[in-house]
Amino acid sequence: MNISDSAVEKSQRETTRLEAVSDGVFAIAITLLVLELTQILHPPNGEHIISYYIHHWEPFFAFLIGFLTILVCWINHHHVFTYIKRTDSNLPWVNGFVLLMITFTPFPTAVLAEYLGQEGNHAIAIFGFNYFMISVASYFICVYPYNRLLIDHNDREFFNCMKLTYGYSIIYTLIAFFVCFISIPVAVVLYLILFIAFAFPKELATRLYKRRQSGKIRAELHKKK
Amino acid sequence: MNISDSAVEKSQRETTRLEAVSDGVFAIAITLLVLELTQILHPPNGEHIISYYIHHWEPFFAFLIGFLTILVCWINHHHVFTYIKRTDSNLPWVNGFVLLMITFTPFPTAVLAEYLGQEGNHAIAIFGFNYFMISVASYFICVYPYNRLLIDHNDREFFNCMKLTYGYSIIYTLIAFFVCFISIPVAVVLYLILFIAFAFPKELATRLYKRRQSGKIRAELHKKK
Amino acid sequence: MNISDSAVEKSQRETTRLEAVSDGVFAIAITLLVLELTQILHPPNGEHIISYYIHHWEPFFAFLIGFLTILVCWINHHHVFTYIKRTDSNLPWVNGFVLLMITFTPFPTAVLAEYLGQEGNHAIAIFGFNYFMISVASYFICVYPYNRLLIDHNDREFFNCMKLTYGYSIIYTLIAFFVCFISIPVAVVLYLILFIAFAFPKELATRLYKRRQSGKIRAELHKKK
Amino acid sequence: MNISDSAVEKSQRETTRLEAVSDGVFAIAITLLVLELTQILHPPNGEHIISYYIHHWEPFFAFLIGFLTILVCWINHHHVFTYIKRTDSNLPWVNGFVLLMITFTPFPTAVLAEYLGQEGNHAIAIFGFNYFMISVASYFICVYPYNRLLIDHNDREFFNCMKLTYGYSIIYTLIAFFVCFISIPVAVVLYLILFIAFAFPKELATRLYKRRQSGKIRAELHKKK
């Protein structure tokens, strides 16, 4: 093995390590969500626990939403990192922005758990703002390696499509954030669509990629005419 | 190394990573259980700590049960993943269902700690419902890779037996759940048997596998007659 | 690579994984200790924070003790596992006993933080009982692989010495536990010696190993005479 | 592979493991910070959550500071460990000192969150004292491997520069600590400069390294004259 190979290998190992630490943060943040449940679910004296929990379903719902949010983020983060082959001094900072939003997520989840019943749209709006920030962070974690050529040349076109999906999600989550103050049901539907779309980031980016490729072919055919 | 080898290796690395993140969630969930102890065990003024703790043994018992539950789940999860050789876009979601139940487990453990003395069968029933859900999740994490051929052909027969043990545990935990409302001692015995059976998942599946193999041989001998 | 090589490699990978999950539990338990500090250190209105913290130094002391305890345990656990080369269905359970004591450690630490000032010897005794249990668990994690031949033949003699050091520590911690009820200063000195001895488990076992080796040589020389 | 190669490889694997456990502690400490937010941010009845959070921005600010502190420490710790190639019985203890300060960091963060508004300079001073201790620990984690030759000969000169940057930071943070009691704005500016400098430890050490190299060349030229 020559020196250049070893340098490439070292940089790749660095990327793996960065992802491993991020995975740790995801795993911890997703597990901390339960602490909110154990803290707020003490039925006042006299009430039976099962019936109390059935009537106070909001914290369980918030727990599920928080869990799915961090799981979707993990799947997306992991998908992005399968394409990042090199690292530099700034990438840990760009990645740190994503991790900041992930470690913060238990807070809006706790707000949702406690205020969904009383101040529904405010609680959802705070969670929605978190989604907006996550979208911005996800966009940056794509833009930076794309511009600094930290991804392989062959993956460039496809990675660009991934980048675009996160770019679109910024606008989408910004609109959904304002919708929270107007109508809860519409906002919930909007976030549901967002969830489903980003649950399978590879398939989402592939769809965009294929559309752009066929668009290119059509454009070329048009030019030939 | 040719391209196909590299793809196989990549998919296997993905499976390893999925298991590593799951391991992280298991490790965190099992360690968070102690927070319940530090939160509720403040003896009221005047009582001595050692005698107070001896009289309030329920939280310690719940801590032990929660610990053993997550440890058994980890051993089973790990055993299942030794056979999963490939991954796809859906597997993280099926695995996510298992992780959801694991991260949730500290909640029924906390309920057990605080209400075992006052509302015994309700507290056990909530824990029992958690067991039922874990069984369902464990069954899915076997069914999905089995149907999608994510396991090696040679392991297929044995993996099917593992799948069946989790399938049976769904029915078992459902019955045990209803028993909780009738008789606590019977329910405790039922859960104890469940624990012992799944403490060694490999041996459990091997027993079923051997029985089925000898059944097949007997059936073939019968056919020849 | 032939089948037997691959089986050896697989078993070794299993041991590595077991240690990785244990490392996760150690890392989490050691980090959770701080939660006790953030929970109990709210100065009553009017008092300045710095002077309040200086007068209430017990929780900081307990935090340090808890931290050192888990760190010493990690160093010992890690040292033991460098010699364990194979695994079986029971090893995760023996290791689970060690992890149970580690995940439990934040509780006696919290008791120490809150009751060191008021019920000093009771609080230290609870912590001391934890040390006794850790010693028992550490002894088992040595006895089991030693008896089941999960360590290499060449390391057997040395591993036996390690096993003996943990065996001696069971008796030592049992004595120290009873001393807690008689004299706090003597107990503290006893635990301090324990700490220093097990801070460097390799050196401790090596000393015993050398003494036994030279004892053997002397015995053989004696026999020759 | 001969025995000596294997010993080198083993020692390097040990270093990797030490770093992996440390990474775990960093990941957990950074994620636990959010628990302070979920605990103290319950608006008193009647006030709307969004307006309450906007008026009580201090905990969010403290969360951000705590997060950045641990992230900077992680980046520096990771940078130092890329040069440590061997380990010995003492290195886990030197590293343990760094981890002690990291696991402690959520406490000064919590103090900052709750007392920034009321006792600003005391809260910042406590955080500043934490910075001072982190600097001392970072210096030790450089001094020890440097003196014990745990780093490659080729990296020695550069590693010495890294060591010096942490040495300077001890004096710097000590001065900043005393400034806290005199003027908050000046202290904040001082810590801001510290942050920016250590956000990119490689670049910082490289700058010092180049200055020293050119200083040497100048000195040699001077001697030749």
Side-chain angles (χ1 to χ4, degrees):
Chain A
M1 192 186 286
N2 57 44
I3 295 162
S4 142
D5 268 6
S6 153
V8 166
E9 201 189 61
K10 199 185 155 189
S11 178
Q12 196 153 359
R13 212 176 49 221
E14 285 295 289
T15 322
T16 307
R17 159 135 304 172
L18 197 61
E19 204 188 341
V21 174
S22 309
D23 279 4
V25 170
F26 278 97
I28 302 153
I30 217 169
T31 321
L32 288 184
L33 295 171
V34 78
L35 294 182
E36 185 63 19
L37 288 184
T38 63
Q39 250 173 30
I40 67 175
L41 287 172
H42 297 279
N45 277 329
E47 199 163 350
H48 283 294
I49 44 175
I50 292 183
S51 70
Y52 179 81
Y53 294 153
I54 289 169
H55 287 108
H56 293 76
W57 55 271
E58 292 94 346
F60 296 104
F61 176 74
F63 170 74
L64 189 68
I65 295 299
F67 185 90
L68 291 175
T69 300
I70 298 179
L71 187 60
V72 167
C73 288
W74 178 72
I75 288 171
N76 280 272
H77 186 266
H78 181 51
H79 184 235
V80 168
F81 264 77
T82 52
Y83 294 95
I84 301 177
K85 293 286 156 54
R86 285 168 287 279
T87 185
D88 64 10
S89 293
N90 295 318
L91 193 63
W93 282 102
V94 181
N95 189 50
F97 182 25
V98 179
L99 296 187
L100 177 68
M101 294 324 298
I102 297 304
T103 59
F104 185 68
T105 299
F107 176 70
T109 306
V111 170
L112 202 64
E114 295 187 46
Y115 297 97
L116 187 61
Q118 307 150 34
E119 299 186 54
N121 42 11
H122 283 192
I124 295 173
I126 286 172
F127 210 98
F129 186 73
N130 199 42
Y131 279 139
F132 169 68
M133 292 301 287
I134 289 173
S135 292
V136 174
S138 304
Y139 183 60
F140 277 147
I141 198 74
C142 285
V143 167
Y144 184 80
Y146 184 79
N147 291 348
R148 293 297 174 101
L149 305 173
L150 303 178
I151 50 166
D152 278 351
H153 186 76
N154 292 338
D155 300 330
R156 224 179 137 69
E157 196 81 15
F158 183 73
F159 197 81
N160 188 33
C161 294
M162 282 168 59
K163 198 188 73 178
L164 285 174
T165 60
Y166 297 115
Y168 296 152
S169 78
I170 298 179
I171 304 158
Y172 187 96
T173 50
L174 193 65
I175 294 166
F177 170 70
F178 287 114
V179 169
C180 290
F181 296 95
I182 302 162
S183 159
I184 295 183
V186 177
V188 168
V189 170
L190 284 177
Y191 286 124
L192 207 70
I193 295 168
L194 185 78
F195 253 95
I196 294 164
F198 282 96
F200 301 97
K202 199 179 179 180
E203 284 69 16
L204 186 72
T206 306
R207 196 170 294 178
L208 187 67
Y209 180 69
K210 281 186 182 154
R211 189 175 294 178
R212 283 168 67 100
Q213 293 299 73
S214 65
K216 262 189 197 165
I217 292 163
R218 235 179 296 134
E220 268 170 38
L221 284 174
H222 195 79
K223 235 178 15 193
K224 277 183 185 170
K225 279 183 198 167
Chain B
M1 193 186 287
N2 57 43
I3 293 161
S4 143
D5 267 7
S6 151
V8 166
E9 201 189 60
K10 199 186 156 188
S11 179
Q12 196 153 357
R13 213 176 49 220
E14 285 294 289
T15 322
T16 308
R17 158 134 305 172
L18 198 60
E19 205 188 341
V21 173
S22 308
D23 279 4
V25 170
F26 279 97
I28 301 153
I30 217 168
T31 322
L32 288 184
L33 295 171
V34 77
L35 294 182
E36 184 64 18
L37 288 184
T38 62
Q39 249 172 30
I40 66 176
L41 287 172
H42 296 281
N45 275 329
E47 199 164 348
H48 283 294
I49 44 175
I50 291 182
S51 69
Y52 179 81
Y53 295 153
I54 289 168
H55 287 107
H56 294 76
W57 54 272
E58 292 95 344
F60 297 104
F61 176 75
F63 171 74
L64 189 67
I65 295 299
F67 185 90
L68 290 176
T69 300
I70 298 178
L71 187 59
V72 167
C73 288
W74 177 73
I75 287 171
N76 280 273
H77 186 266
H78 181 51
H79 185 235
V80 168
F81 263 77
T82 53
Y83 294 95
I84 301 176
K85 293 286 156 56
R86 286 169 286 281
T87 186
D88 64 10
S89 292
N90 295 319
L91 193 62
W93 282 101
V94 182
N95 190 50
F97 182 25
V98 179
L99 298 186
L100 176 68
M101 294 324 298
I102 297 305
T103 59
F104 185 68
T105 298
F107 177 70
T109 307
V111 170
L112 203 64
E114 295 187 45
Y115 296 96
L116 187 61
Q118 307 152 34
E119 299 186 53
N121 41 11
H122 283 192
I124 295 174
I126 287 171
F127 211 97
F129 187 73
N130 199 41
Y131 279 139
F132 169 68
M133 292 301 287
I134 289 173
S135 291
V136 174
S138 302
Y139 183 60
F140 277 147
I141 198 76
C142 285
V143 167
Y144 185 80
Y146 184 79
N147 291 347
R148 294 297 174 101
L149 307 172
L150 302 178
I151 49 166
D152 278 351
H153 185 76
N154 292 339
D155 300 329
R156 225 179 135 68
E157 197 80 15
F158 183 73
F159 197 80
N160 188 32
C161 294
M162 284 169 56
K163 197 188 74 178
L164 286 173
T165 61
Y166 297 116
Y168 296 151
S169 77
I170 297 178
I171 304 157
Y172 187 96
T173 50
L174 193 65
I175 294 166
F177 170 69
F178 287 113
V179 170
C180 291
F181 295 96
I182 302 163
S183 160
I184 294 183
V186 177
V188 167
V189 170
L190 284 177
Y191 286 123
L192 207 69
I193 296 168
L194 185 78
F195 252 95
I196 293 165
F198 283 97
F200 302 98
K202 200 181 178 178
E203 284 70 16
L204 186 72
T206 306
R207 196 170 295 179
L208 186 66
Y209 179 70
K210 281 186 181 155
R211 188 174 294 178
R212 283 168 67 100
Q213 293 299 75
S214 64
K216 262 188 197 165
I217 291 163
R218 238 180 294 134
E220 269 169 36
L221 285 174
H222 195 78
K223 238 182 11 200
K224 278 183 186 171
K225 280 186 200 163
Chain C
M1 193 186 290
N2 57 44
I3 294 161
S4 144
D5 267 9
S6 154
V8 166
E9 201 189 61
K10 199 186 158 189
S11 179
Q12 196 153 359
R13 212 176 49 221
E14 285 294 289
T15 323
T16 308
R17 158 135 305 173
L18 198 61
E19 204 188 340
V21 173
S22 309
D23 279 4
V25 170
F26 279 98
I28 300 153
I30 217 168
T31 322
L32 288 184
L33 296 170
V34 78
L35 293 183
E36 184 63 19
L37 288 183
T38 62
Q39 249 172 29
I40 66 176
L41 286 172
H42 296 281
N45 277 330
E47 199 164 347
H48 282 295
I49 44 175
I50 292 183
S51 71
Y52 179 81
Y53 294 152
I54 289 169
H55 287 108
H56 293 76
W57 54 272
E58 292 96 345
F60 296 105
F61 176 74
F63 171 75
L64 190 66
I65 295 300
F67 184 91
L68 291 176
T69 300
I70 298 179
L71 187 60
V72 167
C73 288
W74 178 73
I75 288 171
N76 279 273
H77 186 266
H78 180 52
H79 185 236
V80 168
F81 264 77
T82 52
Y83 294 95
I84 301 177
K85 292 286 155 56
R86 285 169 288 280
T87 186
D88 64 11
S89 292
N90 295 319
L91 194 62
W93 282 102
V94 182
N95 189 51
F97 182 26
V98 179
L99 297 187
L100 176 69
M101 295 323 299
I102 297 306
T103 58
F104 185 68
T105 298
F107 177 70
T109 307
V111 170
L112 203 64
E114 295 186 46
Y115 297 96
L116 188 61
Q118 307 151 35
E119 299 186 54
N121 40 12
H122 284 192
I124 295 174
I126 287 172
F127 210 97
F129 186 73
N130 198 42
Y131 278 139
F132 169 68
M133 293 300 287
I134 289 173
S135 291
V136 174
S138 302
Y139 183 60
F140 278 148
I141 198 74
C142 285
V143 167
Y144 184 80
Y146 183 78
N147 291 348
R148 295 296 175 102
L149 306 172
L150 304 178
I151 50 166
D152 277 350
H153 185 77
N154 291 338
D155 300 330
R156 225 178 136 68
E157 198 80 15
F158 183 73
F159 197 80
N160 188 33
C161 294
M162 282 168 58
K163 196 188 75 178
L164 287 172
T165 60
Y166 297 116
Y168 296 150
S169 77
I170 297 178
I171 305 157
Y172 187 96
T173 51
L174 193 65
I175 295 165
F177 170 69
F178 288 113
V179 170
C180 290
F181 295 95
I182 303 163
S183 160
I184 295 183
V186 177
V188 167
V189 170
L190 284 177
Y191 287 123
L192 206 69
I193 295 167
L194 185 78
F195 251 96
I196 293 163
F198 284 97
F200 302 97
K202 199 181 179 178
E203 285 69 16
L204 186 71
T206 306
R207 197 171 295 179
L208 186 66
Y209 179 70
K210 280 186 181 155
R211 189 175 295 177
R212 283 168 67 99
Q213 292 300 73
S214 65
K216 264 189 197 167
I217 292 163
R218 238 178 296 132
E220 269 169 38
L221 285 174
H222 195 77
K223 237 179 15 194
K224 278 184 186 170
K225 280 185 201 164
Chain D
M1 195 184 287
N2 56 44
I3 294 161
S4 141
D5 268 7
S6 155
V8 166
E9 202 189 59
K10 199 186 156 189
S11 178
Q12 195 152 0
R13 212 176 49 221
E14 285 295 288
T15 323
T16 308
R17 159 134 304 174
L18 198 62
E19 204 188 342
V21 174
S22 309
D23 279 3
V25 170
F26 279 97
I28 301 153
I30 217 169
T31 322
L32 287 183
L33 296 170
V34 77
L35 293 182
E36 184 64 19
L37 288 185
T38 62
Q39 249 172 30
I40 67 176
L41 286 172
H42 296 280
N45 277 329
E47 199 164 346
H48 284 294
I49 44 176
I50 293 183
S51 70
Y52 179 81
Y53 294 152
I54 290 168
H55 287 107
H56 293 77
W57 54 272
E58 292 95 344
F60 296 104
F61 176 75
F63 171 74
L64 189 67
I65 296 299
F67 184 91
L68 291 176
T69 300
I70 298 179
L71 187 60
V72 167
C73 288
W74 177 73
I75 288 171
N76 280 272
H77 186 265
H78 180 52
H79 185 235
V80 168
F81 263 77
T82 52
Y83 294 95
I84 301 176
K85 292 286 155 55
R86 285 168 288 280
T87 186
D88 64 11
S89 292
N90 295 317
L91 193 63
W93 282 102
V94 183
N95 190 51
F97 182 26
V98 179
L99 297 187
L100 177 68
M101 295 324 299
I102 297 304
T103 59
F104 185 68
T105 298
F107 177 70
T109 307
V111 170
L112 203 64
E114 296 187 45
Y115 296 97
L116 187 62
Q118 307 150 35
E119 299 187 53
N121 41 11
H122 283 192
I124 294 174
I126 287 172
F127 211 97
F129 186 72
N130 199 42
Y131 279 139
F132 168 69
M133 292 300 288
I134 289 172
S135 291
V136 174
S138 303
Y139 183 60
F140 278 149
I141 197 74
C142 284
V143 167
Y144 185 79
Y146 183 79
N147 291 347
R148 295 296 173 101
L149 306 173
L150 304 178
I151 49 166
D152 278 350
H153 185 77
N154 291 339
D155 300 330
R156 225 178 136 67
E157 196 80 16
F158 184 72
F159 197 81
N160 188 33
C161 293
M162 282 167 58
K163 197 188 73 178
L164 286 173
T165 61
Y166 298 115
Y168 295 151
S169 76
I170 297 177
I171 306 158
Y172 188 96
T173 51
L174 193 65
I175 294 168
F177 170 70
F178 288 113
V179 170
C180 290
F181 296 94
I182 301 163
S183 158
I184 295 183
V186 178
V188 167
V189 170
L190 283 178
Y191 286 124
L192 207 68
I193 295 167
L194 184 78
F195 252 95
I196 293 165
F198 284 96
F200 301 97
K202 198 179 180 180
E203 285 69 16
L204 186 72
T206 306
R207 196 170 294 178
L208 186 66
Y209 179 70
K210 281 187 181 155
R211 189 175 294 177
R212 283 167 68 101
Q213 292 299 72
S214 65
K216 265 189 197 166
I217 292 163
R218 236 177 296 132
E220 269 170 36
L221 285 174
H222 196 79
K223 236 177 17 192
K224 278 183 185 171
K225 280 184 197 167

